């Protein structure tokens, strides 16, 4: 049986921190699906199709990784794709509260699906999509935080 995991998130925008977790996940599971949640209540920073295209380009080097978008419940998406594992990255203890709540809610929704946490590399433990958005908005060097295809999208972003 193939072990398939889902790495869900908003990825708005994708960062080197996300790629770090993807690389670790690709090494642990037979297949990894990066799942971009597109049902956020807020207006996105980058359109979901752009995020998908940029992430797909970034994960080309890992043949067992692909990128999808999803609407609705994450556990339903996981079931549809026969994945039993939800992968999430933990940077600092401050992530724990939020992650713990979501993991328990997902477990209540579908007890067969496990959430697995990977510790992000310390190099990126400060990094979040919100940091990238703010640095970009204020004219700082955001390029150091994101892969090239994402930097291009941010540079050409329509406001
Ligand atoms: O990177 P993020 O923004 O923390 O990702 C959040 C995401 C997309 C993983 C989460 O919002 C999600 O799973 N949304 C789908 C709706 C859902 O299943 N909610 C139930 C858990 S409370």
């Amino acid at each position: 049986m193939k072990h398939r995991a889902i790495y869900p998130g908003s990825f708005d925008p994708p960062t080197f921190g996300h790629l770090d977790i993807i690389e670790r996940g690709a090494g642990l599971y037979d297949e990894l699906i990066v799942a971009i949640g597109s049902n956020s209540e807020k207006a996105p920073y980058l359109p979901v199709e752009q995020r998908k295209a940029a992430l797909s380009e970034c994960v080309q080097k890992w043949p067992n990784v692909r990128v999808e978008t999803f609407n609705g419940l994450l556990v339903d998406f996981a079931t549809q794709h026969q994945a039993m594992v939800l992968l999430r990255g933990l940077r600092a203890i401050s992530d724990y509260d939020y992650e713990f709540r979501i993991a328990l809610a997902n477990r209540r929704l579908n007890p067969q699906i496990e959430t697995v946490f990977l510790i992000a590399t310390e190099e990126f433990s400060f990094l979040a999509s919100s940091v990238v958005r703010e640095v970009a908005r204020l004219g700082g060097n955001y390029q150091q935080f994101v892969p090239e295809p994402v930097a291009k999208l941010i540079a050409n972003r329509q406001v």
Side-chain angles (χ1 to χ4, degrees), residues 8-11 37 39 70 72-75 88 98-99 102 105-106 109:
S10 303
F11 305 104
N39 53 351
F70 75 100
L73 286 178
L74 178 57
V75 290
R88 293 283 287 177
Y98 171 69
E99 295 297 336
I102 295 199
N106 282 331
L109 292 167

Side-chain angles (χ1 to χ4, degrees), residues 7-12 18 35-40 42 70-76 86 88 91 98-99 101-106 109 129:
Y7 177 39
S10 303
F11 305 104
D12 196 19
H18 296 128
I36 308 175
S38 57
N39 53 351
S40 160
K42 359 167 231 184
F70 75 100
N71 276 297
L73 286 178
L74 178 57
V75 290
D76 291 343
L86 304 174
R88 293 283 287 177
R91 290 163 299 198
Y98 171 69
E99 295 297 336
R101 274 189 294 119
I102 295 199
L104 287 184
N106 282 331
L109 292 167
S129 296

Side-chain angles (χ1 to χ4, degrees), residues 12-88:
D12 196 19
T15 70
F16 284 133
H18 296 128
L19 291 188
D20 168 55
I21 298 296
I22 292 171
E23 182 167 25
R24 289 166 203 281
L28 286 172
Y29 295 95
D30 297 316
E31 283 179 29
L32 183 68
I33 302 174
V34 179
I36 308 175
S38 57
N39 53 351
S40 160
E41 282 165 22
K42 359 167 231 184
Y45 179 70
L46 293 176
V48 67
E49 285 309 319
Q50 288 191 6
R51 279 176 268 159
K52 184 182 178 188
L55 265 175
S56 300
E57 199 177 329
C58 297
V59 304
Q60 267 175 8
K61 58 185 144 187
W62 301 295
N64 60 336
V65 180
R66 65 191 160 95
V67 183
E68 305 271 358
T69 60
F70 75 100
N71 276 297
L73 286 178
L74 178 57
V75 290
D76 291 343
F77 178 84
T79 309
Q80 280 155 22
H81 290 80
Q82 286 132 28
M84 305 308 290
V85 169
L86 304 174
L87 210 58
R88 293 283 287 177

